[in-house]
Amino acid sequence: MEGSFILPAMVLIPLIGAILTLFMGGLRSKYARITAFVFTLVDLALSLVLLLSDDLSEFDFTASWIDTETLKMGLIFRVDGLSILMVFLTALLEVVVVAFSYKEGDRPNYFFTLILAIEVGLIGVYTAQDYFLFYIMWEVTLIPMYFLISWYGGPRRHYSAIKFFIYTHVASLVMLIGIFALAFESAAVLGLGYVDFSFDAVRAAYGGFSEVFQTLVFGLLFFGFLVKMPAVPFHTWLPDAHTEAPTGGSVLLAGVMLKMGSYGIIRVNLEVLPLGFENWQYIMIAMGLLAAVYGAYACIAQRDLKKMVAYSSISHMGLVMLAMGLGTAIGVEFAIFQMFAHGLISAMLFMVCGMAGHNIGTREIPLLGGMASKMPVYAAFMMFAFMASLGLPGLIGFWGEFGIVYGFYEWAQANDMIPIIVFCLLSLLLTAGYYLWAMQRSLFGRLTTKIDVSHAHDMDTIEAICLGVLALLVAIYGFWPDLALHYIDLYGLSVTGVI
């Protein structure tokens, strides 16, 4: 065992919190909220320690887990320029979700146990440097999210939870086959005499992988990751899951869980399967464009605010897929930046959508109208979140989309395929259209008479603080994107596969 204990501690702290809150039922439920908040706050503080460090390698941790003559699996944790922003985003959104969910009255101890258990898996996925550990942590996120939707969701929660679990678990099993193939082939290439599941062992061997092997394994892993993003046509679980999940679940699902898919593609497919990437590149670009345009077009037809935002996530993650498919330094850098930007913005979007249901009584866009006069603070945050998501200059969403379009233009020009830029621009145009249309119909004009708004109320102080923190970060990173980009530059220098 060697190295810093900060990263394993970031996995263990929410696990301890989850165990404590599990037994805080009945009259002790109010302590479950406080306990969850304190434990998530400690993880956020540790993530800031990582973020402010000049040398991320000082936090590396290695310990033997399974060490036999034929099999080696380690508890290896590490952060770099790819994972540091995801770790910070996870820790931040966990605190925000716990604070935002302080009104949860139905078995709150179980609710916060599930929220903390999701953090265990997420931090583990973004810091694991052993493929088997990575897979275990990946699966850890699925189970609490399943119960979160199933126990605390809407009327169709059981259907949506089962659909979510089947889609993502089947994809995980396919991914596991790819992981085993990588580990066993690495052992053969290096002539180790044992199978080593560490990322370092596979990185050391990838130069000896044949093109056929890389193409096949790239496909297995790509399928596992793209269902999670999700990419069209494997996206149908997402709108149902988002619509039925409680607001806190939707925030974590869109903010950080969808990013597991794109993180896996960059971390595994692009790093160690460069020949496979060459054979899958055009499929990635085509799927990215399809998701970007289809997701944006589907938003126009939605009546439910939350479902509209769910489809917008499919569209924005399509842009991330497109950027990864370019295989250029600028493409990968802005794919990572867009993952971070979408994590902050989508959290705000699902919080305002959730408040429409709680504070007004409906999320149906045709039934809302004139809410800006009744709920001015809510309307201000909703407009801010919509503007950030449609890419208004000065906010973080602009830089993600600008970088991806610029990178795509460079790639299309180099490959004499300039006309396909129009599909990318079409998705951005549709995005501006459905957000402005939804905003006009739900916030402005005469106050609606289609529903009883006598009990509708503006957001309270805690809700405003939660949204205010996210809005502040969206503005800061929008004004100064280099605060995030300089971490990603560090990662760009270390990628040895595709780029």
Side-chain angles (χ1 to χ4, degrees):
M1 185 182 298
E2 59 183 39
S4 167
F5 285 89
I6 285 186
L7 293 178
M10 289 188 71
V11 176
L12 284 175
I13 286 168
L15 177 62
I16 296 169
I19 294 170
L20 290 176
T21 53
L22 181 64
F23 297 102
M24 291 181 177
L27 296 175
R28 292 174 295 178
S29 61
K30 64 180 179 182
Y31 298 113
R33 298 183 176 88
I34 298 170
T35 303
F37 185 72
V38 169
F39 276 78
T40 52
L41 205 58
V42 172
D43 249 21
L44 177 60
L46 292 177
S47 76
L48 290 174
V49 171
L50 301 177
L51 206 63
L52 298 175
S53 170
D54 293 328
D55 182 11
L56 294 176
S57 64
E58 65 180 301
F59 302 106
D60 292 359
F61 175 85
T62 302
S64 179
W65 181 22
I66 297 174
D67 190 0
T68 67
E69 291 184 358
T70 58
L71 192 64
K72 294 190 186 301
M73 297 173 181
L75 297 174
I76 307 172
F77 296 97
R78 194 178 298 159
V79 283
D80 58 15
L82 169 57
S83 55
I84 181 64
L85 291 177
M86 293 299 105
V87 170
F88 169 63
L89 185 63
T90 300
L92 173 70
L93 293 188
E94 284 282 343
V95 174
V96 169
V97 165
V98 170
F100 190 78
S101 306
Y102 77 100
K103 292 178 182 175
E104 182 60 51
D106 180 16
R107 298 169 295 174
N109 60 316
Y110 294 148
F111 180 86
F112 292 114
T113 296
L114 296 171
I115 294 291
L116 287 162
I118 292 172
E119 184 171 16
V120 173
L122 286 169
I123 296 290
V125 165
Y126 291 128
T127 57
Q129 287 288 309
D130 179 280
Y131 277 101
F132 201 76
L133 179 64
F134 174 81
Y135 176 77
I136 295 293
M137 291 298 177
W138 184 284
E139 290 294 278
V140 164
T141 63
L142 303 186
I143 299 167
M145 181 55 75
Y146 166 81
F147 284 111
L148 199 61
I149 298 171
S150 184
W151 288 354
Y152 297 91
R156 296 174 69 245
R157 57 186 181 276
H158 298 303
Y159 166 79
S160 299
I162 290 172
K163 190 173 181 180
F164 158 78
F165 190 83
I166 290 175
Y167 268 71
T168 51
H169 185 57
V170 168
S172 300
L173 293 177
V174 176
M175 180 181 77
L176 182 62
I177 297 171
I179 286 175
F180 271 92
L182 272 183
F184 278 83
E185 185 68 9
S186 300
V189 169
L190 297 175
L192 296 176
Y194 57 85
V195 179
D196 187 346
F197 278 82
S198 71
F199 280 28
D200 288 340
V202 176
R203 286 193 189 106
Y206 85 87
F209 296 163
S210 70
E211 183 176 351
V212 173
F213 173 81
Q214 291 201 30
T215 303
L216 291 175
V217 175
F218 191 104
L220 292 172
L221 294 166
F222 184 53
F223 176 77
F225 295 137
L226 69 82
V227 171
K228 194 71 175 186
M229 284 187 66
V232 178
F234 306 105
H235 65 286
T236 60
W237 64 269
L238 183 71
D240 288 325
H242 269 313
T243 305
E244 299 303 321
T247 300
S250 294
V251 169
L252 292 179
L253 192 58
V256 276
M257 286 186 73
L258 300 189
K259 313 302 180 292
M260 289 165 55
S262 49
Y263 173 82
I265 291 174
I266 298 173
R267 174 66 79 199
V268 184
N269 291 58
L270 269 60
E271 271 197 9
V272 297
L273 298 167
L275 299 178
F277 171 77
E278 288 179 10
N279 293 326
W280 281 87
Q281 181 178 21
Y282 288 102
I283 295 175
M284 290 180 68
I285 291 173
M287 292 186 75
L289 286 174
L290 176 63
V293 176
Y294 171 80
Y297 179 72
C299 287
I300 298 172
Q302 304 309 314
R303 294 169 56 92
D304 187 318
L305 267 176
K306 211 173 178 185
K307 210 162 191 174
M308 184 194 78
V309 173
Y311 275 103
S312 79
S313 291
I314 294 171
S315 178
H316 283 101
M317 292 307 289
L319 291 176
V320 173
M321 173 78 81
L322 170 67
M324 293 187 298
L326 302 179
T328 60
I330 192 169
V332 173
E333 286 174 2
F334 277 96
I336 300 168
F337 186 88
Q338 177 71 353
M339 287 160 57
F340 180 63
H342 183 256
L344 292 174
I345 296 170
S346 62
M348 290 190 71
L349 290 170
F350 279 107
M351 288 162 72
V352 294
C353 290
M355 274 187 277
H358 298 150
N359 297 1
I360 304 172
T362 182
R363 301 192 305 255
E364 292 286 315
I365 298 171
L367 300 182
L368 302 171
M371 282 299 161
S373 61
K374 185 84 175 176
M375 304 164 64
V377 180
Y378 172 83
F381 276 113
M382 186 177 181
M383 285 191 289
F384 184 88
F386 278 16
M387 290 297 174
S389 190
L390 64 82
L392 188 74
L395 302 177
I396 191 172
F398 168 79
W399 293 107
E401 293 183 359
F402 171 81
I404 291 172
V405 172
Y406 178 72
F408 187 40
Y409 174 78
E410 277 194 338
W411 180 89
Q413 191 177 40
N415 290 274
D416 198 21
M417 298 175 72
I418 286 293
I420 64 171
I421 287 285
V422 70
F423 293 104
C424 187
L425 298 178
L426 178 61
S427 77
L428 302 182
L429 186 63
L430 290 171
T431 300
Y434 66 72
Y435 272 128
L436 292 175
W437 190 51
M439 196 164 64
Q440 190 275 329
R441 295 177 73 194
S442 57
L443 294 181
F444 301 117
R446 290 186 177 179
L447 188 63
T448 183
T449 56
K450 297 177 181 177
I451 56 172
D452 179 11
V453 293
S454 59
H455 299 292
H457 57 88
D458 213 337
M459 62 177 60
D460 59 32
T461 304
I462 292 180
E463 290 169 339
I465 290 174
C466 291
L467 277 164
V469 169
L470 295 177
L472 184 63
L473 290 174
V474 166
I476 289 174
Y477 283 107
F479 179 76
W480 195 2
D482 196 52
L483 278 176
L485 283 170
H486 86 276
Y487 290 107
I488 303 169
D489 284 341
L490 290 175
Y491 177 72
L493 295 173
S494 69
V495 174
T496 56
V498 170
I499 298 174

